[in-house]
Amino acid sequence: MPRKNEDNNSSPTPQRGSARAWGVRLGAHGLGVMATAALLLLPFVSRSTLEIVWESAKYTEFLRLSWLDALLFVGMAACLWALAVILFEVVSSRRAPVHKVLGMPRGSVMTETLVILPIFFLLTFGIAQLAVNNIAGLLVNAAVFQSGRTAWLWSSEADEGRRGVTSAMVKDLAHAQAAVVLAPVAPGEFIQGVSIQNERFIELRGVMMGSQLPAFSTDTGSAGKTAATGFLMGTNMTNLPEMDSSFSNALDTSSWPARTTRKLTFAFHASEVVVLEENSEVGVRLTYHHFQAFPMVGRIFGELKTDVGTRPGYYKTLERKFTMPAQINPNKKTP
């Protein structure tokens, strides 16, 4: 009786080289997805914004608000990376030469180009606007968290009337805080309203502008407020488009001081804050109307509005709510 080969009874084992190759591929694609996500964030998120998001991420409530938006953002980055890889494979692949000569009607290339260009631009602008909308959703989560903490901090003072704090002041402070967080993603290269009644926000904007002035002085805040007003008046505003969208304006091409003023101001115009005190909790409800600045896709992602900072256009409305257990009422008299 022939002796059975022991190798026939043993199960096949995967090759180490193959497993290692797959590991390298997965690692490379993971780095590619991370790089794509970073490139999407780069035009809209600054270091300060990342610090705010990182600080907010230490709290469970913020993670509950943001996990789905973060997952969608990573998924979109993965899709863009996959498209880039597929395009690279198609371009770099070598096909066997075709000896058959095809007769092409004259003008067919131009016709095909004209047919495909609208679809190409629609996909390009749509992906760009979708990415920005997703980033706006992440920043709205951070904004409602920071705004809610501001309302939580000052509401007890307003309830007791200490230090001259009122409910209106609490709302102004919470609204200003939300605008600061939303400013990086708010488009600024468009006409917008100038009139603002929130003195806390005007002072905050002046401080931010003062930090960008070439020389500090004993009255940098006042100089910053004057400079900020200048960027919103005259030819600095009338030369900007009103409702028309463009790729360059969506990415903000003006100087840093002008960009700071316009983006921060429009973030204030496009946001609404309602202070909540319910069920022994204090917080805010934040509504942010994000302007769809890329061309051709405004009707797809937003709805027409004409009352947001005197800037008519298509807006995507994002609403969030955040509350915290109310503080114990402080002493009516200041120690």
Side-chain angles (χ1 to χ4, degrees), residues 33-34 36-38 40-41 53 57 62-79 130-131 133-142 320:
V33 172
M34 293 174 60
T36 304
L40 291 175
L41 289 172
V53 173
F62 175 79
L63 295 177
R64 185 187 66 81
L65 288 172
S66 304
W67 72 269
L68 182 58
D69 290 326
L71 187 63
L72 290 174
F73 181 75
V74 174
M76 183 170 52
C79 291
L130 183 61
N133 288 347
N134 189 262
I135 296 172
L138 291 172
L139 290 187
V140 168
N141 294 338
R320 300 289 190 273

Side-chain angles (χ1 to χ4, degrees), residues 183-233:
V185 78
E189 302 299 305
F190 298 87
I191 289 178
Q192 58 181 287
V194 180
S195 177
I196 293 178
Q197 305 300 324
N198 189 332
E199 290 297 328
R200 279 81 193 172
F201 172 78
I202 294 175
E203 293 175 358
L204 184 148
R205 187 179 62 185
V207 171
M208 295 189 68
M209 275 300 304
S211 65
Q212 300 187 43
L213 295 178
F216 289 96
S217 66
T218 56
D219 199 7
T220 302
S222 178
K225 289 195 290 185
T226 302
T229 304
F231 282 116
L232 297 172
M233 298 179 64

Side-chain angles (χ1 to χ4, degrees), residues 5-312:
N5 190 355
E6 295 180 357
D7 294 336
N8 294 336
N9 297 330
S10 60
S11 58
T13 57
Q15 297 181 0
R16 293 184 178 180
S18 177
R20 184 179 302 173
W22 275 106
V24 172
R25 286 186 178 183
L26 289 176
H29 287 308
L31 291 176
V33 172
M34 293 174 60
T36 304
L39 289 175
L40 291 175
L41 289 172
L42 187 61
F44 306 101
V45 178
S46 63
R47 178 181 176 182
S48 299
T49 306
L50 290 177
E51 290 176 353
I52 292 174
V53 173
W54 180 260
E55 179 184 353
S56 303
K58 298 177 182 178
Y59 297 87
T60 306
E61 187 66 19
F62 175 79
L63 295 177
R64 185 187 66 81
L65 288 172
S66 304
W67 72 269
L68 182 58
D69 290 326
L71 187 63
L72 290 174
F73 181 75
V74 174
M76 183 170 52
C79 291
L80 291 175
W81 173 252
L83 288 175
V85 172
I86 293 172
L87 181 62
F88 175 78
E89 293 291 340
V90 171
V91 173
S92 61
S93 62
R94 296 182 179 180
R95 299 180 179 179
V98 179
H99 299 288
K100 184 177 180 180
V101 179
L102 300 177
M104 300 294 291
R106 179 174 296 180
S108 61
V109 175
M110 180 63 69
T111 303
E112 293 171 357
T113 303
L114 293 176
V115 170
I116 200 64
L117 271 181
I119 301 175
F120 171 77
F121 285 128
L122 184 63
L123 287 175
T124 302
F125 296 147
I127 292 173
Q129 188 64 70
L130 183 61
V132 176
N133 288 347
N134 189 262
I135 296 172
L138 291 172
L139 290 187
V140 168
N141 294 338
V144 72
F145 183 76
Q146 297 295 335
S147 179
R149 291 205 305 174
T150 302
W152 172 83
L153 178 65
W154 289 98
S155 61
S156 59
E157 300 287 337
D159 292 340
E160 299 299 334
R162 296 203 322 170
R163 303 178 185 273
V165 179
T166 63
S167 299
M169 185 184 298
V170 174
K171 181 179 179 180
D172 288 348
L173 290 169
H175 194 177
Q177 185 65 39
V180 170
V181 181
L182 292 170
V185 78
E189 302 299 305
F190 298 87
I191 289 178
Q192 58 181 287
V194 180
S195 177
I196 293 178
Q197 305 300 324
N198 189 332
E199 290 297 328
R200 279 81 193 172
F201 172 78
I202 294 175
E203 293 175 358
L204 184 148
R205 187 179 62 185
V207 171
M208 295 189 68
M209 275 300 304
S211 65
Q212 300 187 43
L213 295 178
F216 289 96
S217 66
T218 56
D219 199 7
T220 302
S222 178
K225 289 195 290 185
T226 302
T229 304
F231 282 116
L232 297 172
M233 298 179 64
T235 56
N236 287 324
M237 184 57 61
T238 56
N239 288 339
L240 297 177
E242 185 176 0
M243 184 176 174
D244 296 335
S245 302
S246 70
F247 197 92
S248 60
N249 286 338
L251 297 177
D252 298 304
T253 57
S254 60
S255 64
W256 284 109
R259 190 182 307 183
T260 298
T261 300
R262 293 168 182 165
K263 291 171 74 69
L264 185 59
T265 303
F266 189 71
F268 179 85
H269 284 307
S271 57
E272 304 166 10
V273 171
V274 177
V275 178
L276 304 175
E277 294 188 24
E278 53 187 21
N279 300 326
S280 300
E281 292 197 343
V282 177
V284 299
R285 179 183 292 108
L286 172 64
T287 303
Y288 173 61
H289 306 286
H290 184 64
F291 182 66
Q292 306 299 286
F294 288 93
M296 300 176 62
V297 295
R299 296 175 183 270
I300 299 175
F301 296 106
E303 58 180 350
L304 181 63
K305 293 181 180 294
T306 58
D307 57 347
V308 180
T310 68
R311 180 193 293 180

